[in-house]
Amino acid sequence: MASEGRVDDVIEMLLGLLVGARNNNTQLVARLQKALRQLYGRKSEKIDPAQLSLLLASLGQMVPEGALGEADDDDAKGLVATPSELPKKLGGRKPRRELPDNLPREKRRVSVSDVEKTCSGCGKPRPCIGYIKSEILEFIPAHFKIIEQEREKVACPNCDTGVTTAPSEKVMERGLPGPGLLANILTSKGQDGMPLYRQAQAYKRAGVSLSESTLGDWAAFAADIIVPIANRLRRHVVGDSYIRADDTGLRVLDRDHPNGVKRGHLWAYVAGRSVVFQYAPDWKAEHPTDFLRNFRGHLQGDGYAGFDQVLESPEGMDPDVDEGRRLGCGMHIRRKFEEAANAGDARGAIAMAFFVKIYRIEAECKAEGLTTAARHARRQDQSLPILDDMYRWIHDVSRTVVPGTLAHAATRYATNQEKRWRLCFSDGRFEIDNGEVERQLRRVATGRKNYLFAGSDKGAERIATAYTILGTCHMNDVNPLAYLTDVIDKIQNGWPTARLDELLPDRWTPTAVG
């Protein structure tokens, strides 16, 4: 090419190769940094204020005014929004939390020895002049007990009317477990992430040897009992006007899969104070679409393309209505800028400074207990100006970021989600992120690290049922062990279907009479 006089073409080709190599190297570095952080780094997405200040200070005049904090001085501390409350004093001990009043109490009186009760000076008895009171918090390990059930049989000696036997109180006709044991198996696995083999070890220490397969059968039986409660929760969630949704992976054994295991998915749907989990064998949109078939409210989530199918308009409806029903998630937008900032890109720190101010306003709204109308007014007055400043900066910087970098991915995602995220600020009912769903999915992540996989699709569906009940109990501050013990016993002893709503975690009372 050079000998033909095409020197400009040679230079252009070489520059193209260099740009391509640079972009490829940038992408590889970003992926390596992300992988190293996931493997060795901290999982929290909170950025250190000192690090944020340094990154912003390094940009100098490039920091937009809207990202600056409230301090009047120009030092780095003024670039970070200061918390509304004073920092806790260093040193000293935190005040001890009061023990719950409902714990049983046992009084023990410790007496002075007989020798010390006699005065060493005059030899006369030393009377008691009072007591010094203190508390000891003790733990009594759980224990098994055997209930010998004797069912009365009656028969008339004069007539041939047959024998009448009292009904059995067993919750599992051909099994040993009582409702408390079944509840403990589900709670230990679903709430505490304890796989069945570890439960078997714990039970053996308590004096009862139970095989892992036996515990698996009992766990499946218990999960099947509470399916009607989970179905009722699903009906209430789908009937709500505002749902937040997200998913996470779950390994599931599959003989037909080349690797013997496939990647299933657990979807979580939060509405009000309830959460419902749905198992899906793959990531196809048909599964959330089927779950939300009759849903006509607002759906909040990340950029998952399948949500477009979920909110697809029924025939004859205006398709623009559906786009107005889909809410974005500030947490997912923030996460990408946080990754860029932690990788050393100071532009990510600018976005994080905007997020600090927006989320501080949200925290103040919750701390003040504002109504939805008052929260909407506060957002219009304080949050939207910050949001406008942030997106003006994003649109400006998006024209200068190098493709393939973390900053490029962050600005592109934020731009694509702008309309949907702005919609979150249009109503005080809406949250600005999907945080509650993320917190619910942590339960799955904890369990996944321990029991590693589900044995089958049916087993994964039962896990979803257990997570539905346990997650909703958590959202309503209900003790899951007490709840499951009571509900399993009531359902197995003929609780009427028409009164199932009374057993939902947000309505349940342990003294309800079946």
Side-chain angles (χ1 to χ4, degrees):
M1 293 174 64
S3 63
E4 296 175 358
R6 299 165 55 192
V7 178
D8 292 341
D9 293 340
V10 174
I11 295 175
E12 184 179 354
M13 180 183 69
L14 290 176
L15 289 175
L17 291 173
L18 289 173
V19 170
R22 182 197 64 182
N23 292 343
N24 185 54
N25 182 68
T26 301
Q27 293 177 7
L28 291 175
V29 169
R31 291 175 62 185
L32 177 60
Q33 289 174 335
K34 184 176 181 180
L36 288 174
R37 181 189 174 189
Q38 291 177 342
L39 187 61
Y40 300 113
R42 62 186 181 89
K43 299 301 186 292
S44 174
E45 295 177 2
K46 295 180 179 179
I47 189 167
D48 184 80
Q51 180 186 3
L52 183 59
S53 297
L54 290 174
L55 289 171
L56 290 174
S58 68
L59 289 171
Q61 298 300 320
M62 296 176 61
V63 181
E65 184 178 354
L68 299 180
E70 294 180 345
D72 294 328
D73 55 359
D74 293 327
D75 65 6
K77 293 182 179 179
L79 298 175
V80 184
T82 56
S84 57
E85 60 181 4
L86 295 175
K88 297 179 180 178
K89 293 182 179 179
L90 297 177
R93 298 179 61 182
K94 295 181 180 179
R96 180 184 296 170
R97 293 184 178 180
E98 294 293 330
L99 296 175
D101 294 333
N102 60 342
L103 292 180
R105 289 181 175 268
E106 173 186 335
K107 289 188 177 182
R108 292 185 183 179
R109 183 160 291 176
V110 182
S111 301
V112 177
S113 66
D114 292 339
V115 175
E116 293 174 316
K117 285 183 178 180
T118 302
C119 180
S120 59
C122 65
K124 294 182 179 180
R126 302 168 68 188
C128 176
I129 61 173
Y131 295 91
I132 298 176
K133 294 183 178 181
S134 61
E135 293 180 334
I136 300 173
L137 183 63
E138 182 59 289
F139 174 74
I140 301 175
H143 61 278
F144 287 92
K145 71 175 182 179
I146 299 174
I147 300 175
E148 294 184 358
Q149 179 179 254
E150 295 182 351
R151 298 160 59 195
E152 183 182 15
K153 298 190 298 183
V154 297
C156 179
N158 302 319
C159 306
D160 189 16
T161 56
V163 177
T164 299
T165 305
S168 174
E169 293 182 349
K170 297 183 69 172
V171 295
M172 191 175 184
E173 186 58 37
R174 296 188 178 183
L176 290 174
L181 179 54
L182 293 176
N184 188 69
I185 294 172
L186 279 188
T187 303
S188 297
K189 182 171 183 177
Q191 185 71 26
D192 303 326
M194 184 182 290
L196 296 178
Y197 80 90
R198 290 186 190 170
Q199 294 189 46
Q201 293 172 351
Y203 293 152
K204 188 174 182 179
R205 290 195 300 270
V208 177
S209 295
L210 297 171
S211 68
E212 185 178 340
S213 61
T214 297
L215 293 180
D217 292 339
W218 291 354
F221 179 79
D224 290 341
I225 291 174
I226 58 177
V227 165
I229 303 294
N231 289 339
R232 195 60 66 98
L233 283 171
R234 172 176 177 170
R235 191 179 72 179
H236 284 283
V237 166
V238 175
D240 203 283
S241 61
Y242 170 41
I243 292 179
R244 291 166 279 174
D246 203 351
D247 76 297
T248 188
L250 179 70
R251 290 163 57 88
V252 181
L253 296 185
D254 185 357
R255 294 180 179 178
D256 298 329
H257 195 277
N259 299 327
V261 62
K262 64 183 177 184
R263 179 181 171 85
H265 287 264
L266 280 178
W267 284 90
Y269 306 91
V270 171
R273 293 190 300 166
S274 299
V275 58
V276 174
F277 284 83
Q278 174 202 23
Y279 168 69
D282 50 52
W283 207 34
K284 294 180 180 178
E286 63 188 55
H287 305 293
T289 300
D290 180 66
F291 184 91
L292 298 171
R293 187 171 304 279
N294 298 318
F295 176 64
R296 293 295 178 264
H298 289 82
L299 178 65
Q300 186 170 34
D302 57 13
Y304 175 60
F307 286 146
D308 294 332
Q309 181 176 328
V310 172
L311 295 178
E312 193 174 75
S313 294
E315 191 172 347
M317 283 186 64
D318 184 356
D320 292 336
V321 173
D322 296 324
E323 185 59 30
R325 294 168 53 204
R326 184 169 176 183
L327 307 175
C329 173
M331 184 177 289
H332 284 83
I333 299 174
R334 183 191 64 192
R335 182 174 299 156
K336 296 185 181 299
F337 284 108
E338 185 261 349
E339 291 174 356
N342 281 327
D345 193 323
R347 291 168 297 189
I350 294 177
M352 293 299 294
F354 281 114
F355 276 107
V356 166
K357 300 176 74 173
I358 292 174
Y359 271 85
R360 186 181 61 181
I361 295 171
E362 291 297 309
E364 290 172 351
C365 290
K366 292 182 179 179
E368 296 173 21
L370 297 185
T371 63
T372 56
R375 180 160 73 161
H376 176 252
R378 179 78 62 87
R379 287 173 174 174
Q380 298 298 307
D381 181 51
Q382 299 182 14
S383 301
L384 283 185
I386 301 173
L387 189 65
D388 293 337
D389 288 341
M390 185 180 80
Y391 265 103
R392 272 194 293 269
W393 172 80
I394 289 176
H395 293 314
D396 289 341
V397 79
S398 63
R399 294 191 289 267
T400 62
V401 291
V402 178
T405 61
L406 291 175
H408 177 262
T411 55
R412 183 177 59 181
Y413 184 83
T415 302
N416 291 338
Q417 293 294 310
E418 178 179 2
K419 181 178 179 180
R420 293 168 181 165
W421 193 38
R422 283 183 176 275
L423 196 60
C424 298
F425 297 83
S426 65
D427 193 317
R429 293 179 301 142
F430 304 146
E431 301 294 337
I432 65 171
D433 61 35
N434 230 8
E436 183 56 43
V437 181
E438 296 272 349
R439 288 186 285 273
Q440 290 294 335
L441 290 177
R442 287 178 190 169
R443 180 178 289 103
V444 181
T446 301
R448 190 171 52 204
K449 291 179 181 179
N450 290 279
Y451 55 70
L452 302 181
F453 53 79
S456 63
D457 286 336
K458 185 62 177 178
E461 291 174 1
R462 289 183 172 123
I463 290 175
T465 298
Y467 283 148
T468 295
I469 303 301
L470 294 169
T472 305
C473 283
H474 178 77
M475 294 181 70
N476 290 275
D477 295 323
V478 171
N479 183 331
L481 184 59
Y483 171 82
L484 285 173
T485 300
D486 185 60
V487 167
I488 289 174
D489 182 57
K490 282 185 168 72
I491 292 178
Q492 287 301 93
N493 282 284
W495 186 270
T497 303
R499 295 176 56 194
L500 272 179
D501 280 357
E502 297 177 31
L503 299 184
L504 298 181
D506 61 335
R507 309 181 190 184
W508 170 80
T509 54
T511 56
V513 180

